[in-house]
Amino acid sequence: GRNAISGGYDEELWVWDLETARVIRGLANRNGTALSLTVTPDHRWLIAGDGGGWITFWNLKTWARGRVLAGHYHAVSAIAISSDGKRMISGSRDKNLIIWRLDMNEFEPDRETYGGSVTSLAVSSDGSFCIVGRYNGTILLKALDMGVVLNKLVTNQTAIVSLALTLDNAWVISGSNNWTVEISSIASIKSVGIYVGHTGPVLGIAVVPHSRL
């Protein structure tokens, strides 16, 4: 696409034209800080999670604010959406994970409470499960249909602050505040490698399309 959207502590969402590298529009976020952003698979909506616990939908054609979802009582630190656009998962510093049924217009949260703040989320390419990174150093695998935890991965990291899932759903790559990147197998639920090289917390991870780092 031609546009990118950024959010931060300045209480604005900025829309950038990638060809000119200029800001073309600013959107006032409901409660200031924008901590998590995603776009629906049909490219119709921008979804923003903020520091007040709200999740706001923005129409990408008109830039008008749409529905606002309430369910968290602390900052929404992560948002992910399934490839078919039917389910959205949000995680928060309130230690809750909420699955929203967007296809059925059911916005009442299916709430589960975990032992540590939810810091990062990713949904499998087939939409069958999501991975949940937590500040206590663990990663959960959760089935989206059954709403149950399938497995728990205990990493060698002190706190998970970022993660990504390969497109074949075989590997989880997690970043930590102990400056490490760890690769874990979904099949064996075991770590297969730890990489050291950063000199600070690893706040972002992305996987290229051919599933190599």
Side-chain angles (χ1 to χ4, degrees), residues 176-181 195-202:
S176 173
N177 67 351
N178 69 357
W179 309 0
T180 64
V181 175
Y195 297 87
V196 179
H198 289 285
T199 56
V202 184

Side-chain angles (χ1 to χ4, degrees), residues 2-187:
R2 290 188 53 195
N3 301 125
I5 301 154
S6 61
Y9 286 93
D10 57 2
E11 301 185 1
E12 291 279 347
L13 300 173
W14 296 109
V15 182
W16 299 81
D17 186 310
L18 294 179
E19 293 184 358
T20 64
R22 293 179 180 272
V23 173
I24 59 175
R25 186 178 299 270
L27 306 172
N29 205 41
R30 182 184 178 96
N31 280 303
T33 304
L35 297 176
S36 48
L37 297 172
T38 192
V39 174
T40 57
D42 60 8
H43 303 141
R44 292 180 59 196
W45 299 96
L46 165 69
I47 307 172
D50 63 39
W54 301 89
I55 300 172
T56 304
F57 284 65
W58 296 86
N59 188 305
L60 288 177
K61 288 187 176 180
T62 65
W63 302 110
R65 181 186 284 117
R67 56 195 169 193
V68 179
L69 305 183
H72 292 290
Y73 56 87
H74 207 313
V76 181
S77 49
I79 294 176
I81 193 165
S82 60
S83 58
D84 59 9
K86 293 181 178 180
R87 290 181 176 86
M88 181 180 70
I89 304 94
S90 59
S92 171
R93 293 176 185 171
D94 62 13
K95 303 181 182 180
N96 290 320
L97 180 74
I98 299 177
I99 298 178
W100 309 84
R101 292 298 304 269
L102 301 181
D103 59 325
M104 300 176 64
N105 289 324
E106 292 182 356
F107 306 119
E108 290 299 322
D110 174 18
R111 187 191 302 271
E112 294 206 14
T113 302
Y114 302 105
S117 297
V118 178
T119 61
S120 43
L121 294 167
V123 178
S124 63
S125 57
D126 60 5
S128 63
F129 69 91
C130 68
I131 53 174
V132 184
R134 302 189 294 175
Y135 203 74
N136 61 4
T138 61
I139 297 173
L140 298 180
L141 276 67
K142 182 178 175 66
L144 292 183
D145 284 333
M146 297 179 290
V148 298
V149 174
L150 299 174
N151 239 318
K152 178 180 178 181
L153 171 64
V154 179
T155 71
N156 297 295
Q157 298 171 313
T158 55
I160 307 298
V161 293
S162 59
L163 57 73
L165 184 64
T166 57
L167 296 182
D168 58 6
N169 305 319
W171 308 95
V172 179
I173 302 97
S174 55
S176 173
N177 67 351
N178 69 357
W179 309 0
T180 64
V181 175
E182 188 163 351
I183 300 179
S184 303
S185 166
I186 293 289

